[in-house]
Amino acid sequence: MSELELTRLVECVPNVSEGRRPEVVEEIVAAFAVPGVLVLDRSSDPDHHRTVITLMGPGPALVEGAVAGAEACARLIDLNQHRGVHPRMGALDVLPFVPFGAETRLRGGDDLDLDCADLAERAGRRIAGEAGIPVYLYGAAAHHPGWAALPAVRGRGFEALRADPPEPDFGGPGLHPTAGATAAGAREVLIAYNVELAGADLDLARRIASAVRERDGGLPAVRAMGVPLANRKLVQVSMNLLDWRATPPAAAVAAVAGLAERAGARVEASEIVGLVPAGAMEGVDPADLRLRDFTPDVFLESRLLQVLTTVKENR
């Protein structure tokens, strides 16, 4: 991949409602990996029953991969049999396109292959037409004035939407009977960051989540929820850091730790789901965050370089 092509790279981060069957995850990831698409990472969690996949490539290739991935999700996942602690509306639940290369942008410009909002629309239209899954546009791609924020689109999830679905942007009017609906959108870089608590119950985790999320007067650009982790016998404050410059992981874990300690609990560990920009961890000792299984491979830029090097060596 030439230097010129690197400036045109777009990131795509499909969130898939499967985190317990590795063979199914493998088949879905392979479906997304059409020619031109680089698979940088996959991160599965059995309690959330969810897998986050990090892809990179030219916009048109990512659209092709999104359609193939959506078809695989519809074939392999039945939401009627799916139970996890993470909210979900679809087998391919969320499909965000994220600017990465120097020439890419969230929305606008003369070259639509570099326009993340337009890529989300193109993928959404084709997913509805070819996979039969209705698509709601969110973030910078939203057409509906109330759907800029993902939670507003997803609502209370598959079961509630199935009973009374709002009209989607593409497809429908009803949800796919087993694959639900997909939220396709354009957004800036987001860090999925979870903090596990020892000596705490679910009520405390939920109270801490309420205290730290922006909507309830907490940290800027933070969404949070408290969830149980049955497999680990712990509870978790699960966060999306929508702007890591406003609230980096170090600030988020410090806030959660302070609130937990006041209630007689403590931080057991924290984790980054997927990849993170290196700048978000600048000047931070990972040990201070109690990050589980931390390696420099978690940095988006490092992982991209590794994958590109492997591709070049295998040519």
Side-chain angles (χ1 to χ4, degrees):
M1 189 171 290
S2 69
E3 184 177 348
L4 175 62
E5 290 172 320
L6 284 172
T7 68
R8 297 174 63 85
L9 284 179
V10 179
E11 183 184 2
C12 185
V13 192
N15 286 222
V16 172
S17 295
E18 175 56 62
R20 298 174 185 168
R21 297 177 293 169
E23 71 283 0
V24 172
V25 172
E26 187 65 35
E27 188 170 347
I28 290 170
V29 171
F32 278 105
V34 302
V37 171
L38 304 174
V39 179
L40 302 191
D41 186 68
R42 72 196 69 176
S43 179
S44 299
D45 185 276
D47 289 301
H48 286 249
H49 205 349
R50 193 172 184 85
T51 295
V52 177
I53 306 165
T54 305
L55 309 173
M56 195 80 76
L62 290 174
V63 170
E64 294 296 331
V67 176
E71 291 175 333
C73 288
R75 184 177 73 254
L76 296 166
I77 298 171
D78 182 353
L79 287 187
N80 298 290
Q81 309 301 321
H82 178 279
R83 298 293 182 273
V85 300
H86 199 289
R88 81 284 185 268
M89 65 189 285
L92 171 55
D93 190 45
V94 188
L95 183 71
F97 290 82
V98 183
F100 180 81
E103 297 178 23
T104 59
R105 56 192 55 80
L106 200 60
R107 189 176 190 96
D110 297 329
D111 190 338
L112 296 181
D113 288 347
L114 304 175
D115 181 331
C116 290
D118 190 78
L119 293 170
E121 290 189 33
R122 285 149 62 182
R125 186 176 290 107
R126 289 189 54 192
I127 287 169
E130 298 174 37
I133 301 171
V135 172
Y136 296 85
L137 296 174
Y138 81 100
H143 291 176
H144 189 289
W147 291 351
L150 178 60
V153 177
R154 186 158 51 201
R156 290 184 292 119
F158 172 66
E159 288 78 10
L161 285 173
R162 182 175 55 187
D164 185 24
E167 183 178 355
D169 291 284
F170 305 113
L175 270 59
H176 187 287
T178 58
T182 294
R187 61 161 172 79
E188 297 289 358
V189 172
L190 171 156
I191 298 174
Y193 183 54
N194 300 329
V195 179
E196 296 168 8
L197 302 178
D201 58 14
L202 182 57
D203 179 67
L204 177 59
R206 287 173 172 167
R207 284 190 281 119
I208 291 174
S210 177
V212 299
R213 62 180 168 237
E214 181 179 44
R215 186 186 70 195
D216 294 335
L219 300 171
V222 172
R223 294 183 188 140
M225 60 181 180
V227 299
L229 300 178
N231 286 294
R232 303 176 202 171
K233 297 181 173 58
L234 296 167
V235 294
Q236 181 184 84
V237 178
S238 179
M239 293 176 281
N240 281 341
L241 310 182
L242 307 181
D243 180 352
W244 59 265
R245 293 175 179 84
T247 301
V253 72
V256 170
L259 292 163
E261 288 166 7
R262 285 179 222 165
R266 61 180 175 81
V267 171
E268 174 74 13
S270 75
E271 65 177 357
I272 292 168
V273 181
L275 303 178
V276 61
M281 297 283 290
E282 188 174 354
V284 176
D285 184 345
D288 292 340
L289 276 59
R290 300 185 66 84
L291 276 170
R292 178 185 290 107
D293 302 325
F294 174 83
T295 72
D297 288 350
V298 77
F299 295 135
L300 177 61
E301 300 87 347
S302 298
R303 186 68 62 84
L304 175 60
L305 181 60
Q306 288 177 14
V307 172
L308 288 173
T309 300
T310 299
V311 170
K312 184 176 180 180
E313 289 175 348
N314 291 337
R315 282 179 178 170

